[in-house]
Amino acid sequence: MNWAVFLDRDGVINEEVTYLSDPGSLRLIPGAAVAISMLNRQAIPVIVVTNQAGVARGYYPESQVAILHQGLADRLAVEDARIDRFYYCPHHPTEGLPPYRILCECRKPNPGMLLQAARDFDLDLSRCTLIGDKASDLVAGWRAGCQTILVETGYGKQEWLRWSEEFQPQHIACDVLEAVEWIVSRGV
Ligand SMILES: [Mg+2]
Ligand SMILES: [Zn+2]
C-alpha cells in the first residue's frame, strides 16, 4: 500500500479568499509550489481535499470549481509542481437546494474524501498526513486515521487559539513548505 499527503486548498496552497471561484483571484502562498514539487520528486501523491459549499449556496456552479482547479494546476505547473488529484465537496447540510443540500460523508470534518482517495490510490491512511488550516480539516484527517499538521497560514493561527485544548495535531508549521519539510525529514 501507498501513502500520500492530503492538502486542504484555501489557506494552505493559495491565499484564503472567501468563496474563491475566479482563477484571476488565485494567489499562491509563498513556498507552496516548492513544497508540492518536493513531494512530486519523491513520487508521493499530492491530493487536494477541499470543501466547496459555495456550489450548494449557489455562489458558483460546479463547473467553476473545475475551472479554478485547472487555473491552480496551471499556476503550479509553471513552478514544476503537480497536484495528483483534486477532491471537493460541493454540498452543504442546510443551505441551498437539492441535490447539493444534503448531509454528506465528504464535507470535512467528515472523512469521506480521504476514504475515497484511499480506495482510488490504494493508500494506507495511517501513513498519510493531512495538512490543513482549520479544525475541520484536522478532524477529517484524524477520523480517517491520518497524521495531521496545522499550518499557521489561512485561518490557522486563529483556529489554534480556539481549539488548542481540543485537539493536538502531530505538528504545527508556519506554512505548507515547513509542513512538507517536516514530513520528508521524518521519511514517514
Ligand atoms: Mg482552508
Ligand atoms: Zn459532500
Side-chain angles (χ1 to χ4, degrees):
M1 288 178 100
N2 311 308
W3 61 284
V5 172
F6 293 107
L7 298 179
D8 175 46
R9 192 191 77 189
D10 301 336
V12 175
I13 301 172
N14 53 269
E15 302 284 358
E16 172 64 43
V17 172
T18 310
Y19 295 113
L20 174 66
S21 67
D22 172 14
S25 306
L26 201 51
R27 284 175 40 232
L28 292 183
I29 286 178
V34 174
I36 292 165
S37 68
M38 194 180 290
L39 294 167
N40 294 154
R41 281 200 305 276
Q42 305 219 12
I44 299 161
V46 180
I47 298 172
V48 168
V49 288
T50 178
N51 282 356
Q52 292 303 317
V55 175
R57 292 173 183 272
Y59 297 161
Y60 46 87
E62 206 168 341
S63 56
Q64 191 63 32
V65 177
I67 290 169
L68 186 85
H69 287 170
Q70 187 57 54
L72 178 55
D74 292 345
R75 291 285 300 279
L76 290 169
V78 172
E79 299 185 53
D80 235 359
R82 185 191 72 250
I83 304 291
D84 290 282
R85 189 78 63 88
F86 290 92
Y87 293 89
Y88 65 92
C89 166
H91 308 117
H92 193 280
T94 57
E95 297 291 325
L97 297 170
Y100 296 116
R101 192 182 65 211
I102 183 179
L103 208 57
C104 66
E105 275 305 306
C106 44
R107 180 174 163 80
K108 296 176 288 185
N110 294 324
M113 290 189 281
L114 287 73
L115 301 179
Q116 183 62 50
R119 290 190 288 272
D120 295 343
F121 287 81
D122 190 27
L123 299 176
D124 176 354
L125 286 168
S126 71
R127 295 172 63 211
C128 297
T129 303
L130 177 137
I131 303 172
D133 70 318
K134 275 194 170 180
S136 56
D137 298 318
L138 302 197
V139 171
W142 174 74
R143 286 180 176 169
C146 299
Q147 315 290 309
T148 57
I149 301 178
L150 180 76
V151 287
E152 293 181 325
T153 49
Y155 291 108
K157 269 200 175 116
Q158 61 205 73
E159 289 288 273
W160 184 240
L161 289 175
R162 261 180 76 198
W163 296 103
S164 56
E165 313 258 302
E166 318 272 332
F167 61 70
Q168 295 288 330
Q170 266 69 39
H171 185 60
I172 300 172
C174 62
D175 57 23
V176 66
L177 179 56
E178 201 220 297
V180 165
E181 284 169 344
W182 187 80
I183 294 169
V184 169
S185 73
R186 293 172 84 228
V188 181

